[in-house]
Amino acid sequence: MSAPAFTTRAVVKDRPQPGVRVAEVTLRPRATDVVVRPLAIGICGSDVSTYRWGTDRANRMRVSLPVVMGHEIVGEVVEIGPAARTRPGVSGLAVGARIIAEPIVACGRCRTCVDGRTNLCYERRVLGLDVDGGMADLAVLPASSVLPLPVALPPTEATLLEPLATAVQAMAKVGPVAGVSCAVVGPGPLGLLLTQALVTAGATTTVLGTERSRERLRLASTLGAAETVVADAEWTRANGDRFEVVFDVGGPTALLQAVQLVRRGGRVVYASGSDVPVPIAFNSMLKHRGIDLLTSTGHQLDAWMEAFALAASGGVRLAPLIDAVVSLERVADGFAAASARSVLKCVVVP
């Protein structure tokens, strides 16, 4: 038997135009769902793209309107559906337990899910995009999206564990990095988390940004980067063929830069999220230089476990990345600031 429907305040995207709004929505939990009280929800780059709608990649993303926004969710259990109690990750939970959300809602049946690669599910859906997310006073999450939170962190900081798991998943593409020269293109939240994880793993890490990201580059230095650079076209030409591994977390134009900077026989990991076409001459820029172009999306369970361990050990610091916290009432201000890049990371606290 399912829990009764209820009404709650939520941040909703319900029109194919820029903006979001706070509205009363009715949620209908199923027997396989968990009702959660969100304590903090991060505003991610994909949230900003949905907020902008007409720019970036929003018009190419699979967004089902109307939808409750938010996938970087930390909360506490309010109610567990009867069919959810036996699901992995939920069976040991009690009302009041702290949880973090796995944004990818996987089918659990396709061959990649059976292999444990739920991030590559053939029928994948994503919280806050085509399934209601958690930017609300109360949220309904599929049991498969509920993970116990084993790390004692303030909820605002814990929201960054999800992008940290994304960074760890990207690192897994290249294996051990101790002593390896790595570059991270894009000093946003994901790039700064990736930088710290690389440094902790022993990589010599350079972080590259643009003129407008000087403050973020300064933060990267305090977080352990060996070098930070405003990498314009001239610098990129002068430093071509330099790094063993280059991670692109900065968008489509950064991919071309990453390919230029990686040395012969090196590896480029594309972990950004845009469908904007990139002009790359595959023969001369990749094949003839022996470059491996790898991609990474989402995270698997072992990446979550490593993210928890990094945060618990202090190998990755989360608090320095958060420079804005807003209530549901002020969420439009938070989205506007994130869209304008006047903040690094904004977290919503209902």
Side-chain angles (χ1 to χ4, degrees):
M1 181 177 178
S2 302
F6 60 87
T7 301
T8 187
R9 285 189 313 162
V11 178
V12 178
K13 182 74 175 185
D14 58 356
R15 298 182 180 92
Q17 62 190 43
V20 295
R21 68 189 185 98
V22 178
E24 293 286 328
V25 299
T26 299
L27 301 179
R28 295 176 173 83
R30 301 166 302 175
T32 54
D33 290 333
V34 178
V35 180
V36 170
R37 187 183 313 281
L39 302 174
I41 314 98
I43 295 179
C44 173
S46 60
D47 297 319
V48 172
S49 292
T50 304
Y51 165 82
R52 290 172 173 165
W53 193 256
T55 60
D56 294 342
R57 59 198 169 101
N59 58 343
R60 290 179 294 276
M61 292 174 66
R62 189 179 67 180
V63 180
S64 299
L65 303 180
V67 68
V68 176
M69 299 281 288
H71 64 268
E72 295 178 354
I73 308 160
V74 173
E76 59 184 20
V77 174
V78 173
E79 187 172 356
I80 302 173
R85 294 183 180 278
T86 58
R87 300 294 179 93
V90 178
S91 58
L93 289 178
V95 171
R98 290 281 176 95
I99 64 94
I100 190 165
E102 163 55 68
I104 296 173
V105 182
C107 73
R109 302 179 302 273
C110 69
R111 62 189 182 192
T112 56
C113 284
V114 172
D115 289 343
R117 297 178 294 160
T118 52
N119 58 320
L120 303 179
C121 174
Y122 280 82
E123 300 177 25
R124 62 176 271 172
R125 297 177 295 160
V126 181
L127 297 177
L129 293 180
D130 45 16
V131 180
D132 281 338
M135 206 169 282
D137 289 323
L138 289 172
V140 174
L141 303 180
S144 61
S145 288
V146 174
L147 296 175
L149 182 59
V151 188
L153 290 170
T156 51
E157 294 180 34
T159 61
L160 284 165
L161 291 170
E162 190 275 328
L164 177 56
T166 301
V168 170
Q169 187 71 40
M171 286 175 59
K173 285 288 185 173
V174 298
V177 293
V180 174
S181 62
C182 295
V184 175
V185 185
L190 178 56
L192 294 175
L193 293 167
L194 175 59
T195 296
Q196 294 183 77
L198 287 167
V199 170
T200 298
T204 302
T205 307
T206 298
V207 181
L208 311 177
T210 62
E211 183 65 38
R212 67 186 296 197
S213 58
R214 283 188 179 274
E215 285 298 322
R216 298 181 178 194
L217 291 173
R218 277 191 278 271
L219 178 57
S221 293
T222 69
L223 295 174
E227 181 184 15
T228 61
V229 181
V230 174
D232 57 15
E234 182 179 351
W235 186 93
T236 300
R237 283 193 298 270
N239 287 270
D241 205 46
R242 174 178 170 183
F243 299 99
E244 295 171 83
V245 179
V246 182
F247 293 87
D248 169 17
V249 290
T253 57
L255 180 59
L256 179 59
Q257 185 180 39
V259 171
Q260 293 170 320
L261 291 170
V262 72
R263 68 175 57 168
R264 287 175 178 263
R267 292 164 289 178
V268 172
V269 181
Y270 179 74
S272 186
S274 176
D275 283 333
V276 176
V278 181
I280 293 179
F282 270 73
N283 260 3
S284 60
M285 298 184 74
L286 293 174
K287 178 185 173 184
H288 293 167
R289 295 171 62 215
I291 306 303
D292 290 335
L293 178 57
L294 309 169
T295 64
S296 182
T297 184
H299 22 60
Q300 297 165 16
L301 185 58
D302 54 354
W304 275 109
M305 297 302 107
E306 178 63 18
F308 294 153
L310 282 167
S313 68
V316 171
R317 296 163 56 200
L318 305 173
L321 277 64
I322 300 169
D323 51 1
V325 177
V326 298
S327 63
L328 278 184
E329 292 83 0
R330 299 293 301 275
V331 73
D333 295 337
F335 270 98
S339 180
R341 285 174 50 100
S342 59
V343 297
L344 174 59
K345 187 67 177 182
C346 181
V347 178
V348 180
V349 176

